[in-house]
């Protein structure tokens, strides 16, 4: 099958919508503190360090030497449904997806991808952008997968797809292989993301330009459902909405750096009014500072930094010099 029919864009961990954040599975860490002590942090000892390790990212003030993880049972069946639509149907597809995504079974990972994907020539010219709806079910049987993926067949323009595969069995190895192909070696990358907070009437038209102006065939936009939101443990990771949006620009020639970086930053700044902030893992806080943590959690993290690293041995977040960390500039009216 065409690689366009096997969309796998991983950034938040497998089935984060249903299984939760990968950092929730950390039961303990072994960490070297600023004073050179090797300690264990878990729910019974040094709990504050475990709290910080679950979401502090590059702002963590220690060297973790071991992670102790709680695993999940391996699904006995993984199946994937993929629908490739012409961008002409962007409005119909996105309004429909906003209407159904919170109702999908938690065993389904749902993404919508915009890009210029390699399609058979008879399907569409390769330079034209498309919109891809992709669902992966992590279940026990093919019958169950078919059932939980069936809502994806309800799109009002489902008969207008360029390509369509329904409940096709796959494996983790196959999904990871696709992921590696979509993140090629020897390339240059710039990424940014946002937690979307607007309703469909505002979000759908605001996002169209992102999907329509993807700069090349290797770059893509990713709309990722996190609804309905689960109750999460008390941890540093604390900023989340129902929809995660990420944009990844991928190119080869260093001479094109300014072009791709400008496109990315300008597009993300354009949609800032419909966002709550961003997710640390795919962000450049120098190019585009924003909130990444709930305010109370941010203050708690700074107190812990002072306690565990009073002399500032470990670097904190690399951010823009003129913007305080964990701040949405568009909500305070600062000039940029």
């Amino acid at each position: 099958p065409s690689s366009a029919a096997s969309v796998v864009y991983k950034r938040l961990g497998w089935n984060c919508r249903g299984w939760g954040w990968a950092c929730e599975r950390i039961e303990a860490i072994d960490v070297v503190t600023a004073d050179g002590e090797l300690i264990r942090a878990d729910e019974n000892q040094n709990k504050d360090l475990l709290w910080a390790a679950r979401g502090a990212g590059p702002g963590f003030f220690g060297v973790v030497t071991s992670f102790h993880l709680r695993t999940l049972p391996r699904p006995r069946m993984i199946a994937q449904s993929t629908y490739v639509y012409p961008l002409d149907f962007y409005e119909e597809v996105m309004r429909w997806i906003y209407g159904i995504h919170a109702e999908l079974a938690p065993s389904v990972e749902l993404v919508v991808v915009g890009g210029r994907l390699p399609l058979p020539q008879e399907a569409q010219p390769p330079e034209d952008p498309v919109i891809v709806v992709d669902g992966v079910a992590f279940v026990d049987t093919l019958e169950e997968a078919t059932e939980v993926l069936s809502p994806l067949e309800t799109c009002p323009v489902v008969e207008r797809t360029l390509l369509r595969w329904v409940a096709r069995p796959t494996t983790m190895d196959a999904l990871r292989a696709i992921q590696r192909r979509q993140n090629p070696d020897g390339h240059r990358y710039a990424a940014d993301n946002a937690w979307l907070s607007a309703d469909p009437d505002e979000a759908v038209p605001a996002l169209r330009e992102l999907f329509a102006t993807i700069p090349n065939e290797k770059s893509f936009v990713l709309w990722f459902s996190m609804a309905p939101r689960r109750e999460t443990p008390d941890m540093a990771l604390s900023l989340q909405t129902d929809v995660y949006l990420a944009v990844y620009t991928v190119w080869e020639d260093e001479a094109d750096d300014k072009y791709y970086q400008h496109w990315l930053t300008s597009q993300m700044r354009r949609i800032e009014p419909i966002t709550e902030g961003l997710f640390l893992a795919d962000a450049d806080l120098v190019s585009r500072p924003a909130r990444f943590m709930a305010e109370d959690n941010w203050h708690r993290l700074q107190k812990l930094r002072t306690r565990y690293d009073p002399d500032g041995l470990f670097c904190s977040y690399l951010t823009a010099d003129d913007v305080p960390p964990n701040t949405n500039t568009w909500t305070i009216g600062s000039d940029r």
Side-chain angles (χ1 to χ4, degrees):
S2 164
S3 61
S6 301
V7 179
V8 182
Y9 296 89
K10 285 289 108 214
R11 290 300 181 273
L12 305 179
W14 294 100
N15 195 26
C16 189
R17 173 179 176 266
W19 292 342
W21 295 94
C23 65
E24 295 179 48
R25 302 290 165 179
I26 302 172
E27 293 204 328
I29 57 172
D30 296 323
V31 56
V32 180
T33 61
D35 60 9
E37 184 182 3
L38 176 63
I39 62 175
R40 171 70 58 89
D42 57 29
E43 293 294 345
N44 299 311
Q45 55 188 331
N46 304 305
K47 291 178 63 173
D48 283 342
L49 280 175
L50 179 62
W51 178 90
R54 290 172 168 168
F60 187 67
F61 32 84
V63 177
V64 178
T65 60
S66 299
F67 289 96
H68 303 267
L69 307 177
R70 183 174 72 258
T71 59
L72 288 165
R74 186 184 184 98
R76 287 188 285 179
M77 168 57 65
I78 303 173
Q80 185 173 22
S81 289
T82 304
Y83 306 78
V84 182
Y85 296 93
L87 190 67
D88 290 347
F89 297 119
Y90 167 85
E91 186 86 11
E92 293 91 335
V93 171
M94 290 304 295
R95 288 190 178 277
W96 162 76
I97 209 75
Y98 264 101
I100 70 156
H101 75 108
E103 304 303 321
L104 290 177
S107 55
V108 175
E109 175 174 283
L110 175 68
V111 298
V112 179
V113 180
R116 304 179 189 275
L117 304 181
L119 297 175
Q121 185 67 36
E122 65 273 14
Q124 178 166 305
E127 67 273 10
D128 289 355
V130 296
I131 181 168
V132 183
V133 175
D134 192 76
V136 180
F138 299 87
V139 291
D140 288 330
T141 66
L142 183 57
E143 291 74 19
E144 184 182 357
T146 302
E147 179 181 354
V148 298
L149 291 169
S150 63
L152 301 185
E153 287 282 296
T154 67
C155 180
V157 290
V158 71
E159 299 301 331
R160 306 297 295 273
T161 54
L162 298 169
L163 295 171
R164 177 179 172 189
W165 281 266
V166 179
R168 184 176 59 189
T170 186
T171 65
M172 290 300 298
D173 287 343
L175 294 175
R176 283 192 289 263
I178 297 166
Q179 181 185 2
R180 287 193 294 271
R181 290 198 298 271
Q182 293 162 342
N183 295 268
D185 292 336
H187 285 64
R188 306 177 73 79
Y189 289 79
D192 203 345
N193 72 88
W195 289 111
L196 301 182
S197 55
D199 63 30
D201 288 340
E202 189 175 7
V204 172
L207 297 177
R208 194 184 197 286
E209 186 175 320
L210 268 173
F211 283 79
T213 63
I214 296 295
N216 66 11
E217 74 284 356
K218 295 181 180 179
S219 303
F220 54 92
V221 176
L222 169 69
W223 183 103
F224 188 99
S225 173
M226 294 291 287
R229 272 176 279 174
R230 307 162 44 262
E231 183 176 353
T232 57
D234 182 22
M235 56 186 181
L237 178 61
S238 48
L239 183 62
Q240 181 180 328
T241 65
D242 286 348
V243 177
Y244 173 72
L245 180 92
V247 186
Y248 305 96
T249 49
V250 186
W251 68 100
E252 296 182 73
D253 191 342
E254 183 177 355
D256 295 330
D257 285 4
K258 287 186 178 180
Y259 169 77
Y260 286 102
Q261 290 166 347
H262 172 75
W263 178 85
L264 175 64
T265 302
S266 62
Q267 285 293 325
M268 296 305 292
R269 285 180 174 168
R270 183 181 61 80
I271 66 168
E272 283 177 344
I274 65 168
T275 73
E276 289 291 326
L278 52 74
F279 175 51
L280 273 174
D282 287 315
D284 177 0
L285 298 176
V286 175
S287 297
R288 199 179 69 84
R291 282 184 66 210
F292 50 85
M293 192 175 292
E295 196 65 21
D296 288 347
N297 292 48
W298 172 250
H299 292 308
R300 179 177 173 183
L301 185 67
Q302 301 320 299
K303 290 179 181 178
L304 291 175
R305 172 179 291 281
T306 300
R307 173 184 167 190
Y308 283 98
D309 186 16
D311 298 324
L313 177 66
F314 292 101
C315 295
S316 185
Y317 301 97
L318 182 63
T319 60
D321 292 337
D322 58 342
V323 179
N326 202 47
T327 300
N328 284 343
T329 57
W330 60 94
T331 64
I332 59 176
S334 63
D335 289 333
R336 289 179 285 129

